[in-house]
Amino acid sequence: MSKKKQSEAAENEQMTAEETAAAETAAPAEDWKAKYDELNDRYLRMAAEYDNFRKRSQRERDQAYGDAVSHAVKALLPTYDNLERAIKAETADAEYKKGVELTMNQLVESLKGLNVTLIEAAPGTPFDPNFHNAVMHVEDEQFGESEIAEVFQQGFINGDRVIRHAMVKVAN
């Protein structure tokens, strides 16, 4: 063979070897890209699952705290009712009455510290079945349609959760 043909054959061999190497290099690059995409997708899914777990755990903790506060307040409500009756009762001893009022104020402040508030149920307030429990109905011209005429038992809420509905008499 002539030198020229030999060098062309060598160049062709070299080119095919380079092309083969380039093709082999491209195939692993595509393989690595697929693996990267798969691992990235798995990572993103796992991060989303962890975020959902964290949020769900926080909601469950908040729910458990709210349930515990509601349970504790329900246990204290008979004491509140008895103090309220004692304040309304007539007594000759002014110091006794003052002591009961101070105790009631302290209990109300303690409930406020737990984010527990009284449900608005004063006479003349519009009746709301979400917060009030109507146990009586009366026709009275002093009050408008579906207004509270009398409160029998005070209601309480904790945030947006009703602990006890206010027991009321509704007019008209």
Side-chain angles (χ1 to χ4, degrees):
M1 253 199 216
S2 74
K3 287 188 176 186
K4 188 174 180 182
K5 283 188 180 183
Q6 284 179 348
S7 74
E8 283 178 14
E11 283 178 22
N12 285 341
E13 254 180 56
Q14 199 174 27
M15 284 178 58
T16 56
E18 288 175 1
E19 289 171 359
T20 305
E24 288 175 358
T25 306
E30 289 174 11
D31 202 29
W32 282 106
K33 179 161 177 30
K35 285 182 181 179
Y36 168 78
D37 289 342
E38 177 189 345
L39 288 173
N40 191 38
D41 184 55
R42 284 177 48 197
Y43 166 75
L44 291 174
R45 288 180 188 274
M46 190 170 14
E49 284 180 28
Y50 175 73
D51 191 44
N52 290 338
F53 168 75
R54 187 178 50 77
K55 289 175 184 175
R56 185 176 55 249
S57 297
Q58 182 63 39
R59 278 192 309 268
E60 289 172 356
R61 270 194 305 277
D62 293 343
Q63 178 74 28
Y65 176 77
D67 290 344
V69 168
S70 295
H71 183 72
V73 169
K74 281 181 186 177
L76 292 173
L77 290 183
T79 304
Y80 177 89
D81 295 336
N82 289 332
L83 287 170
E84 193 173 46
R85 285 185 204 102
I87 288 172
K88 289 179 183 177
E90 293 296 322
T91 182
D93 190 357
E95 292 299 316
Y96 172 77
K97 188 164 185 84
K98 184 178 178 182
V100 172
E101 288 172 350
L102 289 173
T103 304
M104 177 64 125
N105 290 339
Q106 186 177 18
L107 178 59
V108 169
E109 288 302 315
S110 296
L111 292 174
K112 283 182 184 176
L114 294 171
N115 196 26
V116 175
T117 57
L118 298 171
I119 292 175
E120 182 62 37
T125 305
F127 175 75
D128 184 356
N130 296 318
F131 300 111
H132 307 119
N133 181 17
V135 294
M136 290 182 72
H137 181 79
V138 65
E139 294 294 328
D140 193 342
E141 297 302 319
Q142 289 180 323
F143 299 102
E145 186 70 26
S146 295
E147 284 188 359
I148 296 172
E150 186 179 348
V151 179
F152 297 120
Q153 191 177 50
Q154 188 61 51
F156 294 88
I157 56 173
N158 180 4
D160 59 348
R161 179 188 299 195
V162 176
I163 296 173
R164 179 173 79 182
H165 291 80
M167 195 179 308
V168 297
K169 180 194 304 185
V170 179
N172 305 321

